[in-house]
Amino acid sequence: MAAAVIEARDLSLTFQTADSPVYALSKVNLTVNDGDFVSFIGPSGCGKTTLLRVIADLEQATSGSITVNGLSPHDARLARSYGYVFQAPGLFPWRTVEKNVGLPLEIMGIGDAAERVKRNLDLVNLGGFEKKFPWQLSGGMQQRVSIARALAFDPRLLLMDEPFGALDEIVRDKLNQQLLELWERTAKTVVFVTHSIPEAVFLSTKIVVMSPRPGRIIDVIETNLPRDRTLDFREAPEFLKLAHRVREGLKAGHSYED
Amino acid sequence: MKTERGQAIPVLVICLILVVVWYLACIPMNAVVAEAKIAAAGGGFAATLTESWNHARPVIPAPHQIAADLWATVFTIAPWAKKSLLYHCWVTLSSTLVGFILGTLLGIGLAILIVHSKLLSKALMPWIIASQTIPILAIAPMIIVVLGAMGFTGLLPKALISTYLCFFPVTIGMVKGLMSPDVIHRDLMHTYNASAAETLWKLRLPASVPYLFTSLKIAIAIALTGAIVGELPTGAVAGIGARLLIGSYNGLTMMIWSALVAGSVMAASLVWLVGYAERKTLARMGVRA
């Protein structure tokens, strides 16, 4: 039994707005183990991004408990436990690719930056693009730079908030394949937010199905899929069965209703 | 090249029309002073034109008279002589530049304070805006007199008037620029546990550079205005402002127009220089050409 990287118990978060409170998260219980690839899937407003942001200490829970690497999210952030990949690449346009990847190293005062930058750019297949500026890269390449940036200081945990949501399906397929390979090679723990069922099923060892109003967990599916799967695997019966179960979960959570 | 030539033609046409209108306007405008001479020359069309366009003390000097005055005051006199227009340009330019640099630093400093503290933002903003509602012509003599009483004369009081005028667009532009980074960028710095100073240095300041240059172009033009205004109450010793004042006291319209042209050329050159620095800086920062 691997150690729990993330442990949430009865976690709730309520936003106080002008007219009525918004229950973004309600009594969430979740365990993420070391080496897991966990996806949060659900429609907009189900709290999947909020949950990720609580883990990253970008939002604070109103009640319940959560630990990251056995620490509070705040202490885990100070301990540089995770790298965060946002919905948009969020590269600094005035920095070259290598300077963007080196940004966390500069701030954290980590040495051997050149070697780390090179290693992580190679990891996302962007060796040779060090001197380019972000605008010279495609959207998919920019997002890969941002993944290299998140990995630059070698955190054990990678938090990804719909990283490929803005990309077209062909690029997304390719990046899914690359991400899977990257996860296998680095043995990181990944928490991945998505609203794509195929993406969630293809990538995950554990799929967390969520539903809105209030944001809660409907179903947690352990996939136990072979690790060396390719894109073709998405036509396999096991894959379709899992996708069906995810869809049933979303239906049960009234996610398909207005 | 093609677009530049395309723009040049309409501009030249307008210039030509203005020159023609100017020459025509000189005839009735200078009638009062030229009347006697036209009569003495025997009247007639040719005499009217000659005397209206070549009077020694015209109401409106003709363009070629201004050109001749500019030539005489710029090229035929040593630049350090008090009669040289270049000397007066330098007097105004030096205090413009000192005021511009001080104003830019003050503007950036204020913007940094405002962005980092809600309290300071609330405390400073009304004063910053109020400072610009006071007519500069009213406050300039007081600044000169007060600083003069404290022993500061010459360049510094004038420069401070420029500073007073030109910090404002810099502050406003920089507040906007320092606030311009996306939420994603700020969240990213938060995940790195970056300090406010690191966020300022690595994110907010680089992001604000385009805003800064837009403000600087406005600031340098009004810094020049400030320096000229500052020269008026000093007893018109030197500078473009002094030339304007002496010219108007003594009815030397050509001196006024030459000073006006010199001031305009300086303003245009300064704005162009800032624009040039902007293009070079942004290109170095990797902005798409």
Side-chain angles (χ1 to χ4, degrees), chain B residues 27-117:
Chain B
I27 300 166
M29 295 289 275
N30 290 335
V32 188
V33 287
E35 222 168 24
K37 288 206 164 185
I38 294 168
F45 185 64
T48 307
L49 292 191
T50 319
E51 295 306 328
S52 304
W53 291 344
N54 293 298
H55 196 274
R57 297 177 74 102
V59 176
I60 298 279
H64 70 268
Q65 289 182 288
I66 299 168
D69 188 69
L70 276 170
W71 180 267
T73 50
V74 170
F75 294 107
T76 65
I77 304 168
W80 48 86
K82 293 223 163 179
K83 289 206 163 192
S84 165
L85 193 57
L86 287 179
Y87 164 78
H88 294 280
C89 281
W90 169 246
V91 168
T92 303
L93 182 66
S94 53
S95 83
T96 299
L97 292 178
V98 172
F100 171 70
I101 291 164
L102 291 177
T104 302
L105 294 177
L106 176 66
I108 294 173
L110 283 172
I112 288 172
L113 289 178
I114 286 168
V115 167
H116 284 90
S117 159

Side-chain angles (χ1 to χ4, degrees), chain A residues 53 57-58 77-78 80 82 84 86-88 90-95 103-104 106-108 133 135 149 153, chain B residues 181 183-185 187-195 198 202-204 206-207 283-289:
Chain A
R53 289 176 65 86
D57 190 36
L58 291 166
R77 176 168 65 84
L78 299 196
R80 292 152 191 175
Y82 67 84
Y84 200 103
F86 293 86
Q87 289 178 5
L91 303 177
F92 290 5
W94 55 86
R95 282 176 173 248
L103 175 71
E106 278 176 34
I107 292 171
M108 296 172 178
F133 281 102
W135 64 268
R149 179 179 62 185
F153 53 99
Chain B
V183 178
I184 282 183
H185 289 143
D187 280 349
L188 184 73
M189 296 304 266
H190 184 69
T191 67
Y192 300 154
N193 193 34
S195 67
E198 282 165 329
K202 293 191 191 295
L203 174 60
R204 290 187 189 272
R284 277 199 60 182
M285 288 176 71
V287 172
R288 192 189 309 224

Side-chain angles (χ1 to χ4, degrees), chain B residues 5 20 47 79 93 132 173 179 184 186 188 226 266 281:
Chain B
R5 203 176 299 164
V20 170
L93 182 66
Q132 303 303 305
M179 302 285 254
I184 282 183
R186 296 210 293 270
L188 184 73
M266 265 204 286
T281 311

Side-chain angles (χ1 to χ4, degrees), chain B residues 95-96 98-99 102 136 139-165 223 226-231 233-234:
Chain B
S95 83
T96 299
V98 172
L102 291 177
I136 190 65
I139 204 163
M142 308 221 268
I143 294 175
I144 301 284
V145 168
V146 168
L147 287 174
M150 290 162 69
F152 296 107
T153 52
L155 184 140
L156 188 70
K158 288 193 293 171
L160 287 182
I161 292 168
S162 294
T163 304
Y164 183 91
L165 283 180
I228 292 172
V229 169
E231 282 159 358
T234 51

Side-chain angles (χ1 to χ4, degrees), chain A residues 4-174:
Chain A
V5 175
I6 298 166
E7 187 88 62
R9 289 288 159 260
D10 289 331
L11 193 76
S12 296
L13 194 158
T14 310
F15 291 113
Q16 295 297 339
T17 61
D19 41 341
S20 62
V22 174
Y23 301 100
L25 291 174
S26 173
K27 305 248 174 223
V28 167
N29 287 293
L30 178 72
T31 304
V32 175
N33 293 315
D34 190 40
D36 269 352
F37 195 120
V38 178
S39 289
F40 299 165
I41 187 165
S44 333
C46 72
K48 55 192 192 296
T49 292
T50 309
L51 181 53
L52 195 72
R53 289 176 65 86
V54 170
I55 295 168
D57 190 36
L58 291 166
E59 307 280 356
Q60 273 74 43
T62 355
S63 66
S65 71
I66 179 163
T67 59
V68 179
N69 285 343
L71 304 168
S72 73
H74 178 76
D75 291 335
R77 176 168 65 84
L78 299 196
R80 292 152 191 175
S81 307
Y82 67 84
Y84 200 103
V85 178
F86 293 86
Q87 289 178 5
L91 303 177
F92 290 5
W94 55 86
R95 282 176 173 248
T96 57
V97 164
E98 61 179 352
K99 294 261 182 191
N100 265 294
V101 176
L103 175 71
L105 306 176
E106 278 176 34
I107 292 171
M108 296 172 178
I110 296 172
D112 63 331
E115 190 274 324
R116 280 166 179 269
V117 167
K118 193 192 169 325
R119 174 157 43 89
N120 284 293
L121 278 175
D122 286 343
L123 201 60
V124 295
N125 302 325
L126 279 176
F129 287 87
E130 287 83 358
K131 305 286 179 203
K132 299 277 186 206
F133 281 102
W135 64 268
Q136 294 170 300
L137 308 182
S138 70
M141 290 161 102
Q142 290 185 25
Q143 197 54 283
R144 273 147 64 195
V145 175
S146 94
I147 293 170
R149 179 179 62 185
L151 294 172
F153 53 99
D154 215 16
R156 287 291 307 138
L157 176 62
L158 187 58
L159 305 177
M160 307 180 86
D161 181 11
E162 294 186 38
F164 310 137
L167 304 173
D168 70 64
E169 205 173 334
I170 299 162
V171 174
R172 177 191 277 233
D173 280 353
K174 204 171 122 200

